[in-house]
């Protein structure tokens, strides 16, 4: 009988006997219906740059000059910077999946970052799946109230309250992560990589999102995935991968 994997970051169920041909491409247009003409760049390993692919899909993501290892003073916070990598796992019931997150673009002044999330060993047909995600950083531009993606105020309260750091917040209406050891975020997956035209897989979708708590002092990420039709409180735990080379700073 087929093996079914209950809800993962790619919401829904994936049957181990799903055919790869169930992956459905969409037309090469942006979310607002406009055709895009962005030329993609590839890394040495052949992977398409997820920022270029996001631009091709119609997302507004400007190239940060500190990408690919060049870090500008003030453009990062602890281990949140363009090119940073986190590894860990996501737990769903008795199942545990290896997860890798690569941050491609970090713009703290805009309360924004984006990157790719790869999850391993879901099925024999799809040993790994990689998605593009972007982020809302809780602060002056984004509140703890989600108001979209099927999340109600009660869902927000239930999920944020699972982070011990949230319990110590004096005021959720005026949270400033600059004066705290914790940064709260929402990570939203949008499409599969390396081809943004692939927006759906039979038995899976990207309808949900992650509630995220990042600790500056430890470089750790804790998260809970939410979608109203999925198993609740799947936990994501990630640790920052230290760089093996010295930081490079560019002065302007």
């Amino acid at each position: 009988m087929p093996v079914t994997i209950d809800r993962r970051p790619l919401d829904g169920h994936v049957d181990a006997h799903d055919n790869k041909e169930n992956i459905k491409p969409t037309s090469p247009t942006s979310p607002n219906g406009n055709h895009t003409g962005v030329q993609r760049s590839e890394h040495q390993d052949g992977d398409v740059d997820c920022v270029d692919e996001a631009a091709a899909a119609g997302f507004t993501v400007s190239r940060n000059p500190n990408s690919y290892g060049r870090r500008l003073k003030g453009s990062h916070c602890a281990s949140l910077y363009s090119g940073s990598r986190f590894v860990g796992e996501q737990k769903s019931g008795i199942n545990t999946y290896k997860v890798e997150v690569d941050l491609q673009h970090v713009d703290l002044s805009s309360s924004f970052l984006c990157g790719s999330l790869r999850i391993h060993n879901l099925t024999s047909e799809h040993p790994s799946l990689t998605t593009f995600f972007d982020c809302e950083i809780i602060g002056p531009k984004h509140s703890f109230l989600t108001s979209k993606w099927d999340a109600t105020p009660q869902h927000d309260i239930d999920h944020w309250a699972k982070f011990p750091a949230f319990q110590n917040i004096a005021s959720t209406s005026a949270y400033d992560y600059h004066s705290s050891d914790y940064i709260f975020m929402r990570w939203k997956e949008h499409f599969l990589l390396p081809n943004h035209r692939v927006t759906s897989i039979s038995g899976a979708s990207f309808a949900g999102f992650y509630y995220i708590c990042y600790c500056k002092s430890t470089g750790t990420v804790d998260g809970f995935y939410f979608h109203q039709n999925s198993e609740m409180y799947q936990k994501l735990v990630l640790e920052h991968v230290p760089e093996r080379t010295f930081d490079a700073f560019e002065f302007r």
Side-chain angles (χ1 to χ4, degrees), residues 152-225:
T152 66
Q154 189 60 51
H155 288 136
D156 290 333
I157 293 172
D158 292 343
H159 284 77
W160 292 126
K162 283 191 167 294
F163 300 113
F166 183 80
Q167 308 295 333
N168 300 322
I169 296 177
S171 173
T172 59
S173 62
Y175 183 72
D176 181 8
Y177 69 82
H178 294 94
S179 58
S180 172
D181 191 31
Y182 299 95
I183 299 179
F184 296 94
M185 299 175 271
R186 282 181 288 265
W187 289 2
K188 180 69 179 78
E189 294 171 295
H190 291 286
F191 52 80
L192 285 172
L193 291 170
N195 185 357
H196 74 270
R197 297 180 180 87
V198 179
T199 58
S200 65
I201 297 178
S202 178
S205 72
F206 318 128
F209 67 97
Y210 290 91
Y211 292 89
I212 294 292
C213 179
Y214 165 75
C215 181
K216 300 177 188 176
S217 59
T218 62
T220 55
V221 171
D222 291 301
F224 294 96
Y225 188 80

XYZ file of all heavy atoms in Angstrom, residues 152-225:
611
model
N -6.168 33.346 11.602
C -7.019 34.224 12.395
C -6.206 34.799 13.556
O -5.109 34.301 13.881
C -8.209 33.450 12.964
O -7.719 32.482 13.919
C -8.964 32.714 11.857
N -6.701 35.827 14.217
C -6.011 36.336 15.412
C -5.761 35.255 16.457
O -4.718 35.260 17.118
C -6.962 37.421 15.925
C -7.646 37.920 14.692
C -7.843 36.700 13.842
N -6.697 34.320 16.604
C -6.497 33.238 17.572
C -5.362 32.317 17.135
O -4.577 31.853 17.978
C -7.786 32.437 17.745
C -7.722 31.428 18.893
C -7.472 32.104 20.227
O -8.165 33.048 20.597
N -6.471 31.633 20.960
N -5.262 32.045 15.842
C -4.128 31.251 15.358
C -2.818 31.956 15.692
O -1.842 31.321 16.113
C -4.220 31.062 13.841
C -5.309 30.130 13.416
N -6.147 30.405 12.359
C -5.699 28.924 13.894
C -6.999 29.409 12.204
N -6.751 28.499 13.127
N -2.784 33.281 15.486
C -1.570 34.042 15.796
C -1.208 33.914 17.268
O -0.051 33.643 17.621
C -1.770 35.522 15.438
C -1.847 35.762 13.942
O -1.262 34.965 13.180
O -2.479 36.745 13.534
N -2.188 34.114 18.131
C -1.934 34.026 19.570
C -1.419 32.640 19.945
O -0.431 32.495 20.685
C -3.224 34.344 20.357
C -3.609 35.814 20.175
C -3.045 34.027 21.846
C -4.955 36.173 20.758
N -2.073 31.601 19.427
C -1.697 30.232 19.769
C -0.279 29.896 19.329
O 0.457 29.192 20.048
C -2.678 29.239 19.142
C -4.064 29.325 19.746
O -4.207 29.900 20.849
O -5.019 28.828 19.105
N 0.113 30.379 18.154
C 1.437 30.040 17.631
C 2.539 30.900 18.245
O 3.592 30.383 18.643
C 1.448 30.162 16.102
C 0.764 29.027 15.411
N -0.608 28.917 15.338
C 1.259 27.937 14.769
C -0.933 27.813 14.677
N 0.189 27.203 14.318
N 2.344 32.202 18.312
C 3.377 33.053 18.916
C 3.622 32.657 20.371
O 4.756 32.707 20.863
C 2.990 34.525 18.836
C 2.972 35.133 17.477
C 1.939 35.812 16.888
C 4.042 35.171 16.520
N 2.293 36.246 15.634
C 3.575 35.873 15.377
C 5.350 34.676 16.509
C 4.365 36.091 14.252
C 6.139 34.890 15.379
C 5.642 35.587 14.273
N 2.558 32.273 21.075
C 2.678 31.924 22.493
C 3.520 30.682 22.719
O 3.963 30.423 23.852
C 1.294 31.733 23.102
N 3.765 29.893 21.688
C 4.592 28.693 21.835
C 6.080 29.035 21.945
O 6.895 28.170 22.298
C 4.358 27.736 20.664
C 3.036 26.971 20.798
C 2.956 25.843 19.794
C 1.808 24.902 20.145
N 2.035 24.186 21.409
N 6.445 30.278 21.627
C 7.835 30.702 21.777
C 8.017 31.319 23.173
O 7.373 32.322 23.492
C 8.207 31.728 20.715
C 8.064 31.245 19.304
C 7.101 31.788 18.464
C 8.884 30.242 18.810
C 6.970 31.348 17.154
C 8.754 29.789 17.505
C 7.795 30.341 16.673
N 8.895 30.753 23.998
C 9.114 31.330 25.336
C 9.483 32.811 25.290
O 9.073 33.572 26.172
C 10.271 30.484 25.879
C 10.134 29.173 25.182
C 9.660 29.514 23.798
N 10.217 33.224 24.261
C 10.627 34.623 24.173
C 9.444 35.560 24.011
O 9.498 36.726 24.420
C 11.593 34.813 23.002
N 8.370 35.068 23.428
C 7.186 35.905 23.224
C 6.523 36.264 24.551
O 5.904 37.323 24.679
C 6.193 35.172 22.323
C 4.965 35.975 21.982
C 5.010 36.937 20.987
C 3.768 35.757 22.657
C 3.875 37.682 20.667
C 2.634 36.490 22.337
C 2.693 37.459 21.347
N 6.667 35.387 25.535
C 6.030 35.619 26.826
C 6.599 36.846 27.533
O 5.942 37.430 28.409
C 6.205 34.389 27.727
C 5.770 33.078 27.107
C 4.271 33.032 26.834
O 3.494 33.691 27.496
N 3.880 32.232 25.839
N 7.809 37.243 27.177
C 8.468 38.360 27.854
C 8.294 39.698 27.150
O 8.873 40.704 27.558
C 9.963 38.064 28.000
C 10.215 36.810 28.820
O 9.524 36.552 29.798
N 11.201 36.023 28.407
N 7.503 39.718 26.081
C 7.295 40.960 25.350
C 6.305 41.841 26.101
O 5.190 41.424 26.414
C 6.780 40.677 23.924
C 7.835 39.914 23.132
C 6.416 41.971 23.214
C 7.382 39.533 21.735
N 6.726 43.058 26.387
C 5.872 43.973 27.144
C 4.719 44.497 26.307
O 3.594 44.633 26.777
C 6.702 45.139 27.686
N 5.000 44.797 25.027
C 3.963 45.330 24.150
C 4.138 44.767 22.758
O 5.185 44.968 22.122
C 4.029 46.866 24.096
O 3.134 47.377 23.129
N 3.125 44.050 22.271
C 3.202 43.488 20.924
C 2.912 44.527 19.856
O 3.166 44.294 18.677
C 2.197 42.329 20.776
O 0.872 42.820 21.041
C 2.532 41.198 21.735
N 2.382 45.665 20.237
C 2.040 46.701 19.257
C 3.227 47.589 18.920
O 3.180 48.362 17.958
C 0.884 47.560 19.776
O 1.258 48.216 20.969
N 4.290 47.512 19.699
C 5.457 48.370 19.446
C 6.736 47.575 19.652
O 7.653 48.007 20.358
C 5.417 49.586 20.367
N 6.819 46.408 19.020
C 7.984 45.550 19.215
C 9.159 46.057 18.379
O 9.032 46.333 17.193
C 7.664 44.110 18.831
C 8.814 43.170 19.075
C 9.175 42.810 20.370
C 9.544 42.646 18.015
C 10.239 41.950 20.604
C 10.605 41.783 18.241
C 10.953 41.438 19.538
O 12.015 40.592 19.765
N 10.316 46.160 19.019
C 11.536 46.605 18.340
C 12.608 45.541 18.531
O 13.162 45.393 19.622
C 12.000 47.945 18.915
C 13.249 48.464 18.211
O 13.657 47.873 17.185
O 13.828 49.458 18.694
N 12.899 44.802 17.471
C 13.861 43.713 17.600
C 15.275 44.213 17.827
O 16.146 43.446 18.276
C 13.806 42.799 16.368
C 14.311 43.408 15.089
C 15.666 43.456 14.796
C 13.419 43.921 14.144
C 16.143 43.999 13.613
C 13.882 44.465 12.956
C 15.232 44.507 12.693
O 15.681 45.061 11.523
N 15.537 45.481 17.533
C 16.885 46.018 17.751
C 17.281 45.967 19.223
O 18.468 45.850 19.551
C 16.962 47.460 17.245
C 16.801 47.593 15.771
N 15.586 47.853 15.182
C 17.697 47.493 14.752
C 15.732 47.915 13.868
N 17.001 47.688 13.580
N 16.306 46.087 20.108
C 16.588 46.107 21.546
C 16.314 44.756 22.195
O 16.233 44.661 23.419
C 15.734 47.185 22.230
O 14.353 46.947 22.013
N 16.181 43.713 21.396
C 15.892 42.383 21.913
C 16.865 41.365 21.338
O 17.509 41.599 20.304
C 14.456 41.979 21.554
O 14.209 40.626 21.886
N 16.982 40.239 22.009
C 17.809 39.150 21.498
C 17.048 38.300 20.489
O 17.614 37.381 19.904
C 18.279 38.269 22.666
C 19.367 37.274 22.262
O 20.160 37.595 21.347
O 19.425 36.179 22.869
N 15.780 38.618 20.270
C 14.934 37.786 19.424
C 14.309 38.584 18.282
O 13.893 39.728 18.456
C 13.823 37.135 20.252
C 14.360 36.228 21.337
C 14.547 36.705 22.636
C 14.701 34.907 21.061
C 15.057 35.880 23.625
C 15.209 34.071 22.048
C 15.391 34.566 23.328
O 15.902 33.746 24.302
N 14.272 37.954 17.128
C 13.591 38.513 15.957
C 12.480 37.553 15.561
O 12.726 36.366 15.320
C 14.561 38.713 14.778
C 15.676 39.689 15.158
C 13.816 39.221 13.545
C 16.696 39.913 14.057
N 11.263 38.065 15.512
C 10.124 37.262 15.109
C 9.818 37.538 13.642
O 9.895 38.680 13.182
C 8.904 37.580 15.975
C 9.088 37.226 17.426
C 9.533 38.174 18.334
C 8.824 35.933 17.876
C 9.714 37.849 19.674
C 9.001 35.603 19.211
C 9.447 36.561 20.116
N 9.465 36.475 12.928
C 9.240 36.596 11.486
C 8.126 35.667 11.041
O 7.709 34.764 11.772
C 10.520 36.228 10.708
C 11.725 37.085 10.987
S 13.227 36.478 10.141
C 13.883 35.354 11.373
N 7.668 35.902 9.814
C 6.814 34.941 9.101
C 7.523 34.591 7.801
O 7.890 35.479 7.034
C 5.433 35.550 8.812
C 4.495 35.585 9.997
C 3.151 36.166 9.629
N 3.229 37.598 9.395
C 2.962 38.523 10.333
N 2.583 38.159 11.549
N 3.064 39.801 10.045
N 7.724 33.295 7.552
C 8.326 32.828 6.308
C 7.234 32.225 5.442
O 6.527 31.309 5.866
C 9.392 31.759 6.575
C 10.646 32.268 7.209
C 10.929 33.546 7.602
C 11.805 31.489 7.541
N 12.185 33.622 8.149
C 12.751 32.382 8.129
C 12.138 30.142 7.406
C 13.999 31.940 8.573
C 13.377 29.709 7.843
C 14.303 30.601 8.416
N 7.129 32.717 4.200
C 6.077 32.253 3.290
C 6.690 31.658 2.030
O 7.384 32.349 1.276
C 5.154 33.414 2.909
C 4.025 33.007 1.952
C 3.028 32.103 2.639
C 1.870 31.706 1.708
N 2.266 30.648 0.765
N 6.438 30.369 1.799
C 6.890 29.724 0.567
C 5.973 30.114 -0.587
O 4.770 30.304 -0.408
C 6.882 28.210 0.731
C 7.891 27.701 1.743
C 7.695 26.232 2.037
O 6.642 25.872 2.589
O 8.599 25.446 1.707
N 6.561 30.212 -1.802
C 5.780 30.650 -2.964
C 5.806 29.675 -4.135
O 4.792 29.448 -4.773
C 6.268 32.021 -3.440
C 5.956 33.126 -2.481
N 4.689 33.640 -2.315
C 6.753 33.803 -1.613
C 4.710 34.608 -1.413
N 5.948 34.713 -0.962
N 6.968 29.120 -4.460
C 7.054 28.228 -5.610
C 8.275 27.338 -5.492
O 9.159 27.573 -4.669
C 7.092 29.007 -6.930
C 8.156 30.077 -6.974
C 9.483 29.771 -7.229
C 7.818 31.412 -6.775
C 10.456 30.748 -7.275
C 8.790 32.403 -6.817
C 10.108 32.075 -7.073
N 8.317 26.318 -6.348
C 9.442 25.388 -6.361
C 10.617 25.969 -7.140
O 10.446 26.718 -8.089
C 9.023 24.060 -6.994
C 8.143 23.138 -6.139
C 7.656 21.974 -6.988
C 8.905 22.632 -4.929
N 11.808 25.582 -6.730
C 13.024 25.900 -7.460
C 13.568 24.595 -8.060
O 13.325 23.523 -7.530
C 14.054 26.509 -6.498
C 13.722 27.900 -5.962
C 14.704 28.271 -4.847
C 13.755 28.944 -7.073
N 14.275 24.695 -9.191
C 14.809 25.913 -9.801
C 13.895 26.583 -10.824
O 14.327 27.527 -11.477
C 16.084 25.400 -10.493
C 15.714 24.015 -10.931
C 14.831 23.474 -9.835
N 12.670 26.121 -10.993
C 11.782 26.673 -12.018
C 10.545 27.263 -11.358
O 9.701 26.532 -10.846
C 11.395 25.569 -13.015
C 10.563 26.105 -14.173
O 10.214 27.292 -14.217
N 10.248 25.235 -15.120
N 10.427 28.596 -11.390
C 9.294 29.242 -10.726
C 7.959 28.899 -11.372
O 6.904 29.107 -10.776
C 9.483 30.761 -10.733
C 9.254 31.390 -12.079
N 10.267 31.552 -12.993
C 8.130 31.884 -12.659
C 9.777 32.126 -14.078
N 8.480 32.348 -13.907
N 7.996 28.376 -12.609
C 6.745 28.018 -13.278
C 6.086 26.803 -12.631
O 4.906 26.554 -12.840
C 6.999 27.763 -14.764
C 7.501 28.996 -15.519
C 7.745 28.691 -16.983
N 8.218 29.854 -17.702
C 9.481 30.209 -17.798
N 10.404 29.479 -17.205
N 9.837 31.293 -18.472
N 6.872 26.036 -11.869
C 6.307 24.903 -11.143
C 5.770 25.422 -9.820
O 6.521 25.706 -8.892
C 7.362 23.801 -10.895
C 6.744 22.646 -10.116
C 7.932 23.306 -12.207
N 4.456 25.578 -9.740
C 3.833 26.132 -8.547
C 2.982 25.119 -7.804
O 2.393 25.446 -6.779
C 2.955 27.346 -8.913
O 1.967 26.932 -9.873
C 3.798 28.469 -9.494
N 2.888 23.891 -8.316
C 2.094 22.893 -7.617
C 2.616 21.495 -7.893
O 3.174 21.223 -8.953
C 0.622 22.988 -8.039
O 0.470 22.657 -9.400
N 2.465 20.636 -6.902
C 2.769 19.215 -7.018
C 1.529 18.465 -6.578
O 0.851 18.890 -5.640
C 3.951 18.820 -6.125
C 5.217 19.554 -6.562
C 4.194 17.315 -6.165
C 6.413 19.243 -5.694
N 1.215 17.387 -7.248
C 0.054 16.602 -6.870
C 0.144 16.210 -5.399
O 1.103 15.588 -4.968
C -0.038 15.338 -7.738
O -1.137 14.552 -7.353
N -0.859 16.622 -4.619
C -0.881 16.298 -3.205
C -0.159 17.268 -2.310
O -0.050 17.031 -1.101
N 0.354 18.370 -2.852
C 1.077 19.339 -2.024
C 0.807 20.747 -2.520
O 0.470 20.963 -3.680
C 2.575 19.051 -2.055
N 0.931 21.711 -1.625
C 0.765 23.115 -1.995
C 1.628 23.970 -1.087
O 2.265 23.467 -0.160
C -0.708 23.536 -1.878
O -1.076 23.638 -0.517
N 1.650 25.263 -1.358
C 2.442 26.193 -0.556
C 1.524 27.196 0.142
O 1.864 28.352 0.308
C 3.459 26.933 -1.427
C 4.139 26.055 -2.433
C 4.175 26.407 -3.769
C 4.725 24.875 -2.048
C 4.781 25.593 -4.702
C 5.341 24.048 -2.970
C 5.368 24.415 -4.317
N 0.368 26.741 0.553
C -0.639 27.655 1.079
C -0.325 28.149 2.483
O -0.818 29.196 2.891
C -2.011 26.977 1.074
N 0.478 27.410 3.233
C 0.753 27.794 4.607
C 1.989 28.665 4.745
O 2.569 29.135 3.770
N 2.400 28.876 6.008
C 3.588 29.683 6.286
C 4.144 29.283 7.648
O 3.515 28.548 8.416
C 3.263 31.177 6.267
C 2.368 31.630 7.386
C 2.890 32.193 8.543
C 0.986 31.488 7.305
C 2.067 32.597 9.591
C 0.156 31.900 8.333
C 0.688 32.452 9.487
N 5.347 29.788 7.947
C 5.994 29.517 9.220
C 5.930 30.731 10.147
O 6.232 31.854 9.721
C 7.473 29.190 9.018
C 7.769 27.866 8.363
C 7.899 27.765 6.983
C 7.957 26.721 9.126
C 8.194 26.557 6.380
C 8.260 25.510 8.527
C 8.376 25.430 7.157
O 8.675 24.235 6.565
N 5.593 30.491 11.401
C 5.851 31.450 12.471
C 7.285 31.184 12.929
O 7.629 30.043 13.259
C 4.905 31.251 13.643
C 3.453 31.593 13.381
C 2.574 30.638 12.876
C 2.959 32.866 13.660
C 1.237 30.948 12.651
C 1.619 33.182 13.441
C 0.769 32.217 12.938
O -0.561 32.521 12.719
N 8.109 32.222 12.970
C 9.538 32.044 13.222
C 9.993 32.898 14.399
O 9.590 34.062 14.555
C 10.365 32.437 11.978
C 10.081 31.479 10.819
C 11.867 32.473 12.296
C 10.578 30.068 11.016
N 10.888 32.320 15.213
C 11.583 33.064 16.261
C 13.076 32.808 16.103
O 13.534 31.662 16.221
C 11.104 32.631 17.638
S 11.928 33.476 19.015
N 13.833 33.857 15.849
C 15.281 33.760 15.653
C 15.990 34.376 16.858
O 15.659 35.482 17.290
C 15.695 34.484 14.371
C 17.175 34.749 14.267
C 18.068 33.727 13.964
C 17.686 36.032 14.473
C 19.434 33.969 13.876
C 19.044 36.283 14.376
C 19.915 35.252 14.080
O 21.252 35.488 13.996
N 16.965 33.657 17.393
C 17.740 34.140 18.533
C 19.099 34.633 18.054
O 19.887 33.875 17.484
C 17.926 33.032 19.565
S 18.862 33.544 21.034
N 19.387 35.917 18.271
C 20.635 36.504 17.785
C 21.859 35.887 18.456
O 22.873 35.599 17.798
C 20.638 38.009 18.061
C 19.529 38.802 17.419
C 19.635 40.263 17.847
C 18.444 41.077 17.407
N 18.516 42.469 17.901
N 21.799 35.687 19.769
C 22.978 35.257 20.514
C 23.381 33.818 20.227
O 24.560 33.464 20.315
C 22.744 35.431 22.018
O 21.617 34.676 22.446
N 22.423 32.982 19.868
C 22.734 31.572 19.590
C 22.721 31.234 18.104
O 23.218 30.182 17.708
C 21.728 30.649 20.303
O 20.413 30.903 19.790
C 21.745 30.902 21.808
N 22.134 32.103 17.271
C 22.044 31.824 15.842
C 21.076 30.708 15.519
O 21.196 30.067 14.470
N 20.106 30.482 16.378
C 19.147 29.401 16.172
C 17.799 29.937 15.695
O 17.403 31.054 16.006
C 18.933 28.596 17.464
O 18.537 29.492 18.515
C 20.207 27.882 17.858
N 17.108 29.098 14.942
C 15.776 29.416 14.429
C 14.804 28.348 14.917
O 15.044 27.150 14.754
C 15.758 29.448 12.887
C 14.323 29.559 12.363
C 16.603 30.604 12.370
N 13.717 28.790 15.532
C 12.617 27.902 15.892
C 11.385 28.351 15.125
O 11.165 29.552 14.946
C 12.325 27.943 17.390
C 13.430 27.314 18.209
O 13.722 26.131 17.993
O 14.006 28.020 19.074
N 10.593 27.396 14.682
C 9.417 27.769 13.913
C 8.304 26.747 14.010
O 8.532 25.589 14.390
N 7.102 27.197 13.657
C 5.937 26.319 13.585
C 5.213 26.598 12.278
O 4.945 27.759 11.954
C 4.993 26.546 14.766
C 5.577 26.155 16.090
C 6.173 27.110 16.904
C 5.555 24.835 16.506
C 6.728 26.752 18.119
C 6.106 24.468 17.723
C 6.697 25.438 18.535
N 4.929 25.529 11.544
C 4.238 25.681 10.276
C 2.732 25.720 10.508
O 2.208 24.971 11.337
C 4.576 24.524 9.337
C 4.043 24.721 7.945
C 4.694 25.540 7.031
C 2.877 24.080 7.532
C 4.198 25.718 5.749
C 2.376 24.251 6.258
C 3.043 25.079 5.373
O 2.537 25.253 4.108
